[in-house]
Amino acid sequence: MIGLDSLARLGRAGLALMAALGRSGVLFFQAVWGWPSGQGVKLWMRQVHFIGVLSLIIIVVSGLFIGMVLGLQGYSILVGFGAEQALGQMVALSLVRELAPVVAALLFAGRAGSAVTAEIGLMKATEQLSSMEMIGVDPMRRIIAPRLYAGFVAMPLLTAIFAAVGILGGMLVGVDWLGVDEGSYWGTMQATVDFRADVINGMIKSVIFGLVVTWIAVFQGYDLVPTSEGISRATTKTVVYSSLAVLGLDFILTALMFGRI
Amino acid sequence: MRKQHWIEVGVGAFMLFGIVALIFLALRVSGLTLDRNEPSFTLTASFSNIGGLKPRSKVTLAGVVVGRVTDIQLDTKWYEAKVTMSLEQKLEGLLSTDTSASILTAGLLGENYIGLTVGAETDVLEDGDEIRDTQSALVLEDLINKFLINSTKD
Amino acid sequence: MSQSAVSEEPLIKIRNLHFSRGSRKIFNGINLDVRRGQVTAVMGPSGTGKTTLLRLLGGQLKPDQGEIILAGEGDIGRMRRKALFRIRRQIGMLFQSGALFTDMTVFENVAFPLRVHTTLHERLLHDVVMMKLEAVGLRGAAALRPAELSGGMTRRVALARAIATDPQLMMYDEPFVGQDPISMGVLVQLVRRLNDALGLTSIVVSHDLAETMSIADYAYVIADGEVLAEGTPQALQQDPAPEVRQFIEGLPDGPVPFHYPAPPYRDELLGEVL
């Protein structure tokens, strides 16, 4: 009996998961086709400001420190082979391919994703979404779509900034402090980093991460139970699910992009 | 409306900042040159061993980068590696037919690349021609083996 | 003749409405009419699904069974998304919490439906918004933010927003709950005055009996998913049925039990701990 019972519970959980996935899919398509008419650009701009511009500080600071740490660690490893000139190559490749898209997406989930979930959740709890619907305005268009598109645009830009700042941070440590030749820092970098294979692929990753993180954030906000407990749970879920999704997707994308070489 | 104005300014600056970062990644980090699609011509060369040569490896002439490896195939008839490289068009009609191609290593542990050396013939290589005179990569283990065998013979 | 025939037809006709949430049945075959130009009250104890009824009317929920006919438009429960958004422009709804948009000023809140649905010039829009705010007595509060308003003022601003586009039908979700006597009096008067002055049709969902009865033309009492009684307020006051008497006189126990269903008290105290 206990076996049957837990089987039934498992089945119910599976069905609930499927239903949630279905709802999030519907939300995604309604929002993607729902660019708000008239004021669209203005609403979108507000969201780019909210989730992009306001994430800038944390992105720049983290990028700088990660670049500096890479410079230090890379130097101490490479100097063992007498290959410290290759520092630029190492810093740039690890940032452009992996660290910038992934770390920027994780920070983005913590900084902007949770805020988006909480904001939409509070709108739902205070019946603002319902009243918007009753006024005859589709919250999908007015609330969800601008946020989704803003995440889609802001994430690659944040990633590019993260990588650029990180490479400069690596140079600060490697060239200015540890004495790697500046010419070889840039030279080895330019010889090995390929625009299409590395930079563009990193950007593709970040576009996908941006979309997925914002999607999870708006869905969790829109679908939550409108109580204070529900909001806090949904915010946590946003950060946890987005982080897992980013790391999992990163593996899949890396395997697809670089797996063959 | 004043608030909206500052939002627009902020977003504008953010986008500009992001695009500048992208351009930095493109030009300064990946060394992308804007004349990437300059006309080029293709030569092939067969090597018995290419070592660590990869597509996108450099092709140099007198130490100057003049092209890239575009393709590496295994020739199943002779069991050799057939390397296709794309060179700057201005060299078309200037490389003699006895130009040699060798696979070199940058430093002791660095990457492999192809070095070209021009010969003395008056006939020149055209698009799609093959470089006959090739020298394979030096494989460190082979060198050591040879050295050991030679020293035991003595 | 034909004119009066049309006005005889109720604006909203609910027939045999069934709705359940999970395994809990909320409506079990409700019939209800809302006549044009009248204030129709729907009353009942808390938890009888009065708010759910308004959501069904607004098309935010779909009934399991039965029809909700909006005159000239058809069955709300079977409308497509697009049609729903069209008819909602004809419906104003006052939410219990007010549901003002917290990122906008009072002025922008009231202007919101106008900006979305009309192409009024900014000057004209300003005048219309001020007219609506004047109607609820809050013209002076136009520049305030929702967080700076008292509960009663919030609800009045929400009311101004709901009537901004001159809807045909106004729905009030517990408009009097949790108000001090003065705000309550103001709101009661506003509901009736707006209904008559703007030629609206109103539905008031409430459990504030005296206030609601004082302005309603016709009232329904619902409990346990069914219509217990209906009639003019005067008729309901005279209704001898014990369920109606309990509700109207506010008796703590009666046909609607004081206790939530539970096992016998004696067993719970004496029986072993589960």
Side-chain angles (χ1 to χ4, degrees):
Chain A
M1 271 298 116
I2 288 169
L4 259 181
D5 219 41
S6 54
L7 197 68
R9 228 186 347 259
L10 194 70
R12 263 200 299 280
L15 284 180
L17 180 72
M18 281 300 131
L21 275 178
R23 285 200 302 279
S24 71
V26 168
L27 173 128
F28 183 74
F29 283 106
Q30 279 178 346
V32 165
W33 299 128
W35 181 260
S37 48
Q39 296 201 310
V41 176
K42 209 164 136 190
L43 292 168
W44 172 80
M45 189 108 49
R46 233 168 226 257
Q47 293 310 318
V48 174
H49 177 80
F50 181 65
I51 68 184
V53 178
L54 299 183
S55 305
L56 209 51
I57 292 177
I58 190 175
I59 289 288
V60 167
V61 172
S62 320
L64 187 69
F65 279 118
I66 288 201
M68 284 162 67
V69 166
L70 275 176
L72 269 177
Q73 290 281 19
Y75 183 84
S76 71
I77 294 170
L78 290 172
V79 83
F81 302 103
E84 66 269 20
Q85 319 88 300
L87 184 67
Q89 157 187 356
M90 193 200 127
V91 169
L93 276 185
S94 34
L95 272 171
V96 169
R97 282 187 180 179
E98 285 299 329
L99 285 174
V102 171
V103 177
L106 294 179
L107 292 172
F108 183 76
R111 164 67 185 74
S114 58
V116 164
T117 302
E119 191 192 13
I120 296 179
L122 216 59
M123 280 183 173
K124 184 175 182 180
T126 54
E127 296 179 308
Q128 290 184 50
L129 293 183
S130 276
S131 84
M132 196 171 273
E133 221 167 85
M134 286 305 299
I135 288 171
V137 175
D138 190 347
M140 284 301 164
R141 287 168 175 266
R142 176 95 193 176
I143 304 290
I144 309 293
R147 283 167 176 75
L148 209 58
Y149 278 101
F152 183 68
V153 171
M155 192 70 250
L157 293 178
L158 289 172
T159 302
I161 292 169
F162 188 98
V165 170
I167 288 167
L168 293 176
M171 189 184 84
L172 190 72
V173 170
V175 174
D176 294 350
W177 296 358
L178 301 172
V180 174
D181 175 53
E182 186 172 355
S184 38
Y185 186 82
W186 293 112
T188 54
M189 195 186 290
Q190 288 172 5
T192 39
V193 179
D194 184 71
F195 185 69
R196 269 238 309 283
D198 299 321
V199 178
I200 293 291
N201 275 343
M203 289 296 120
I204 291 174
K205 276 185 180 179
S206 75
V207 168
I208 294 173
F209 293 163
L211 206 59
V212 168
V213 171
T214 345
W215 180 14
I216 291 176
V218 291
F219 175 69
Q220 290 298 340
Y222 194 77
D223 203 53
L224 54 72
V225 186
T227 60
S228 41
E229 197 208 350
I231 292 176
S232 84
R233 281 177 63 124
T235 320
T236 312
K237 273 192 202 164
T238 294
V239 176
V240 173
Y241 291 175
S242 321
S243 307
L244 292 178
V246 164
L247 294 171
L249 273 174
D250 183 52
F251 177 72
I252 295 172
L253 290 173
T254 306
L256 286 177
M257 290 169 175
F258 302 105
R260 291 193 191 196
I261 296 175
Chain B
M1 287 302 103
R2 193 127 189 91
K3 195 181 156 210
Q4 180 71 25
H5 175 70
W6 282 113
I7 287 175
E8 280 165 16
V9 171
V11 170
F14 168 60
M15 303 264 259
L16 192 73
F17 198 13
I19 289 165
V20 166
L22 253 180
I23 293 172
F24 170 80
L25 290 181
L27 299 184
R28 190 87 177 120
V29 175
S30 67
L32 185 76
T33 43
L34 294 176
D35 46 35
R36 197 117 222 242
N37 290 328
E38 250 196 6
S40 58
F41 76 109
T42 312
L43 291 180
T44 60
S46 293
F47 296 93
S48 58
N49 192 331
I50 57 165
L53 200 73
K54 292 189 186 73
R56 292 197 286 112
S57 291
K58 297 185 283 191
V59 179
T60 64
L61 180 63
V64 180
V65 179
V66 293
R68 299 260 166 199
V69 171
T70 51
D71 190 35
I72 297 174
Q73 296 286 339
L74 182 67
D75 178 353
T76 46
K77 198 170 165 198
W78 299 104
Y79 297 103
E80 287 193 321
K82 193 173 179 205
V83 174
T84 312
M85 58 196 116
S86 140
L87 304 176
E88 289 172 15
Q89 182 139 55
K90 63 183 178 196
L91 290 175
E92 190 172 6
L94 293 179
L95 300 175
S96 60
T97 46
D98 61 344
T99 294
S100 72
S102 20
I103 295 179
L104 306 172
T105 307
L108 191 58
L109 295 167
E111 50 173 338
N112 286 111
Y113 65 98
I114 295 181
L116 300 179
T117 316
V118 183
E121 288 279 338
T122 45
D123 289 345
V124 291
L125 291 166
E126 299 294 338
D127 187 34
D129 281 354
E130 187 176 353
I131 299 175
R132 298 271 160 207
D133 184 3
T134 64
Q135 195 181 347
S136 290
L138 288 178
V139 178
L140 205 58
E141 292 89 326
D142 292 350
L143 281 182
I144 295 169
N145 274 342
K146 258 182 215 161
F147 175 74
L148 288 177
I149 291 166
N150 285 341
S151 54
T152 48
K153 265 185 197 163
D154 290 339
Chain C
M1 269 316 270
S2 66
Q3 191 67 35
S4 74
V6 167
S7 62
E8 282 301 301
E9 187 204 345
L11 184 62
I12 290 179
K13 214 159 61 178
I14 297 180
R15 288 292 172 269
N16 191 31
L17 178 71
H18 286 259
F19 184 78
S20 48
R21 196 162 261 183
S23 57
R24 206 162 81 87
K25 254 194 144 8
I26 300 199
F27 295 123
N28 198 2
I30 278 194
N31 297 310
L32 202 147
D33 287 340
V34 177
R35 288 172 194 80
R36 284 172 200 270
Q38 291 195 344
V39 175
T40 303
V42 177
M43 296 180 294
S46 309
T48 44
K50 300 189 295 294
T51 305
T52 308
L53 183 68
L54 293 188
R55 287 188 183 271
L56 284 162
L57 281 174
Q60 291 183 314
L61 296 172
K62 302 271 175 219
D64 298 340
Q65 199 189 318
E67 301 175 312
I68 305 169
I69 309 284
L70 178 66
E73 295 286 352
D75 188 351
I76 292 176
R78 282 175 189 73
M79 274 185 191
R80 302 192 60 97
R81 210 173 151 77
K82 214 162 177 179
L84 264 179
F85 276 104
R86 191 168 44 76
I87 65 145
R88 280 177 188 157
R89 296 178 196 181
Q90 302 296 313
I91 303 177
M93 176 155 175
L94 182 70
F95 284 84
Q96 196 169 340
S97 64
L100 295 182
F101 303 131
T102 41
D103 55 340
M104 304 179 190
T105 61
V106 165
F107 180 91
E108 285 300 321
N109 260 288
V110 179
F112 181 81
L114 294 166
R115 285 194 202 283
V116 175
H117 293 314
T118 67
T119 50
L120 291 181
H121 190 266
E122 197 64 28
R123 275 199 63 88
L124 192 56
L125 185 111
H126 176 267
D127 293 347
V128 173
V129 171
M130 284 308 176
M131 244 165 66
K132 303 295 176 186
L133 281 174
E134 176 72 22
V136 297
L138 289 175
R139 193 162 47 82
L144 297 182
R145 296 223 150 230
E148 300 170 274
L149 301 176
S150 73
M153 282 157 81
T154 302
R155 220 164 279 183
R156 276 149 71 192
V157 172
L159 185 53
R161 184 179 66 184
I163 59 169
T165 48
D166 297 318
Q168 284 186 43
L169 173 70
M170 268 302 298
M171 307 199 289
Y172 299 90
D173 185 7
E174 299 281 5
F176 313 125
V177 84
Q179 297 294 316
D180 64 74
I182 302 175
S183 312
M184 175 112 87
V186 170
L187 281 165
V188 169
Q189 280 314 306
L190 269 177
V191 172
R192 185 74 235 182
R193 268 219 329 262
L194 288 175
N195 190 72
D196 298 344
L198 303 177
L200 301 172
T201 304
S202 307
I203 305 175
V204 180
V205 152
S206 177
H207 53 230
D208 289 299
L209 192 85
E211 291 77 16
T212 313
M213 290 290 234
S214 71
I215 54 165
D217 294 307
Y218 201 81
Y220 289 85
V221 178
I222 55 175
D224 295 331
E226 279 163 26
V227 175
L228 268 185
E230 61 176 291
T232 58
Q234 294 76 19
L236 282 181
Q237 297 283 8
Q238 312 299 325
D239 199 309
E243 295 92 344
V244 182
R245 293 253 56 82
Q246 186 198 357
F247 184 68
I248 286 179
E249 288 165 20
L251 304 174
D253 210 351
V256 177
F258 168 68
H259 292 289
Y260 193 82
Y265 197 27
R266 219 185 118 79
D267 294 359
E268 184 125 32
L269 292 182
L270 297 180
E272 67 246 39
V273 180
L274 293 175

